[in-house]
Amino acid sequence: VCFSDLSSSVSLQETTGSVVKWHGMLCNNIKFWYYIIHNEDVFNMRTDMNLCAYEIHSLSIKNEQIKIKELLAYGTNAFVYKVEYRDRSYILKELFPEGLSEQRVIKRDSTGAVLYRLRIIDKFKWQRVKLQFLLSIYKNRLLQRNLAVNDCVSQNVGLFRTNGTLYALYENISGKDWSCYAGESLEELIIRCSKIAEIVYRIHRTGWLVMDVKASNFVINATESEEHIQLVDFDSMVRLSFARKKSKFYCSSETAPPELLEGRGRDVGVNSDVYSLAAMLFKKICGVSYNECKTLSLLMPFIENWSKERQSKFVNLLEMVLCPDITRRDISAIEFSRKLLELLR
């Protein structure tokens, strides 16, 4: 898979030589999956892949170079880089599953440095993780096409295979994920959580659940005059209509509600994301996971300067939203957002 003009379209080249083009974003879902399934260059398993892009410093795409500038983050299935391509800055996500490969030396270069390749150990798991990677991009692009949420999700501009694995290219937004921010006042934390709750509500309106609401999944671009927040991880998102049929969910144990951790799909709903919003705010304020301590008393030193009435409203709000009984969490993400802002008036 290779790029054409990133500003207008993405060209997907099949092994037969024919070219399928989607202008801007995907025209329809059927074409996307037909292409993914039938294009061997994208979908087939590879028995070898090169060492991660960070180790080789650049990637070659249609005789053009993507220069790896910085390793921004890494997880169990991917590395995230800041890169330069055609004199512009982008974010690059590289499929690189942890524990599914083993390193072996292939040769030494002219300077004597050792070069490596990675052999895939578990081909079935590798294929499953690759499909999850593609699904994440698919969900990202679905939201990109929806004007109701287009401005609050990361913008994917390309998907390609090289270096023996898959890569997704995104527009670069100046900023860092919320987990990297420190020294914020209590008011700043509440306002930012309120903005994220509004984003989650807008996504709910499109029929999706975020499922993995945590600080590291939201990038904040803050300037002196304003700040812009985007959701950047779509791996765990699931259709609301399908969520209740599932029994396994991919989410952070620090912010996930009991119904997700226990696999009780029948109880999953928009209130599950609201629980995670409150758990995320609790951790940003207190520095520990609510799911570990299970007590709101840790909040008191941080709100001791508030009036008794405001303290009571805040604690009661979190107590309701963090209740294990989902029937008592009768509140939407936008209502949670508004109630947080009311605390600051």
Side-chain angles (χ1 to χ4, degrees):
V1 181
C2 45
F3 292 117
S4 61
D5 182 3
L6 288 176
S7 63
S8 61
S9 66
V10 179
S11 296
L12 301 174
Q13 177 140 16
E14 299 194 50
T15 53
T16 59
S18 61
V19 176
V20 181
K21 290 187 178 180
W22 285 274
H23 292 280
M25 286 167 279
L26 297 177
C27 294
N28 62 60
N29 307 337
I30 296 175
K31 284 185 179 178
F32 177 81
W33 286 111
Y34 181 87
Y35 176 78
I36 291 300
I37 292 170
H38 289 84
N39 190 325
E40 294 181 1
D41 197 46
V42 176
F43 194 70
N44 275 4
M45 291 181 289
R46 303 286 165 173
T47 55
D48 291 295
M49 64 176 288
N50 291 331
L51 203 57
C52 58
Y54 188 63
E55 298 291 335
I56 59 177
H57 309 301
S58 67
L59 300 167
S60 180
I61 308 298
K62 283 189 77 174
N63 298 320
E64 295 184 89
Q65 294 293 310
I66 291 183
K67 297 179 181 178
I68 310 297
K69 293 297 185 180
E70 182 183 355
L71 175 63
L72 299 177
Y74 60 90
T76 55
N77 291 332
F79 286 91
V80 181
Y81 308 101
K82 183 178 181 180
V83 301
E84 184 180 292
Y85 178 65
R86 294 182 178 175
D87 298 321
R88 283 190 59 191
S89 180
Y90 291 92
I91 299 299
L92 184 71
K93 191 172 183 179
E94 176 186 47
L95 176 64
F96 201 89
E98 185 178 75
L100 297 187
S101 55
E102 64 181 14
Q103 189 171 277
R104 62 185 174 89
V105 177
I106 54 171
K107 63 179 179 180
R108 294 181 180 272
D109 65 14
S110 58
T111 65
V114 177
L115 300 179
Y116 299 96
R117 287 180 74 84
L118 296 180
R119 184 177 67 83
I120 306 303
I121 296 174
D122 190 326
K123 292 183 180 181
F124 176 78
K125 286 185 179 179
W126 170 261
Q127 193 77 324
R128 187 183 66 187
V129 172
K130 184 186 289 188
L131 184 58
Q132 289 172 351
F133 187 83
L134 292 168
L135 276 169
S136 177
I137 298 168
Y138 167 72
K139 289 180 280 190
N140 188 172
R141 289 186 172 184
L142 280 180
L143 293 177
Q144 278 180 235
R145 293 168 55 199
N146 193 315
L147 295 179
V149 293
N150 175 268
D151 63 323
C152 61
V153 298
S154 57
Q155 302 296 301
N156 176 261
V157 294
L159 165 69
F160 62 97
R161 190 197 70 79
T162 188
N163 190 34
T165 189
L166 295 179
Y167 293 86
L169 196 70
Y170 297 86
E171 291 284 357
N172 185 21
I173 59 171
S174 300
K176 52 189 178 181
D177 73 67
W178 197 22
S179 67
C180 296
Y181 282 80
E184 301 155 285
S185 67
L186 179 59
E187 288 72 19
E188 286 174 322
L189 292 174
I190 289 175
I191 289 172
R192 282 177 172 166
C193 185
S194 173
K195 290 179 179 178
I196 291 174
E198 184 180 340
I199 291 172
V200 170
Y201 172 73
R202 288 163 64 186
I203 291 173
H204 287 171
R205 291 287 300 272
T206 68
W208 289 88
L209 297 176
V210 179
M211 305 302 281
D212 194 19
V213 176
K214 59 183 179 181
S216 60
N217 283 347
F218 295 89
V219 169
I220 300 176
N221 178 17
T223 64
E224 291 183 2
S225 58
E226 62 179 1
E227 66 179 32
H228 185 61
I229 303 176
Q230 282 190 340
L231 174 66
V232 296
D233 192 294
F234 306 87
D235 292 353
S236 302
M237 283 182 58
V238 64
R239 281 283 187 189
L240 177 59
S241 57
F242 182 65
R244 293 185 176 92
K245 301 174 185 177
K246 290 172 64 69
S247 60
K248 184 176 182 180
F249 301 91
Y250 297 96
C251 51
S252 170
S253 60
E254 293 188 337
T255 57
E259 62 269 20
L260 294 188
L261 296 176
E262 297 167 11
R264 291 186 279 112
R266 65 185 182 279
D267 293 331
V268 172
V270 295
N271 295 349
S272 302
D273 278 349
V274 180
Y275 178 105
S276 296
L277 285 165
M280 175 180 66
L281 177 59
F282 182 90
K283 185 177 182 186
K284 287 293 293 184
I285 295 174
C286 302
V288 296
S289 166
Y290 176 78
N291 284 349
E292 293 179 2
C293 67
K294 295 292 184 182
T295 176
L296 293 175
S297 62
L298 296 180
L299 280 173
M300 301 315 295
F302 300 94
I303 59 175
E304 60 184 1
N305 294 329
W306 284 7
S307 67
K308 294 294 184 182
E309 181 183 2
R310 255 207 310 176
Q311 287 181 15
S312 178
K313 284 184 178 180
F314 188 36
V315 172
N316 289 342
L317 174 62
L318 293 188
E319 194 172 54
M320 175 186 67
V321 174
L322 292 171
C323 179
D325 183 358
I326 194 169
T327 61
R328 292 185 57 193
R329 279 186 247 141
D330 188 20
I331 184 172
S332 68
I334 195 64
E335 289 173 323
F336 181 63
S337 173
R338 290 168 181 161
K339 287 183 180 293
L340 285 178
L341 294 179
E342 287 173 5
L343 293 168
L344 304 180
R345 291 172 186 163

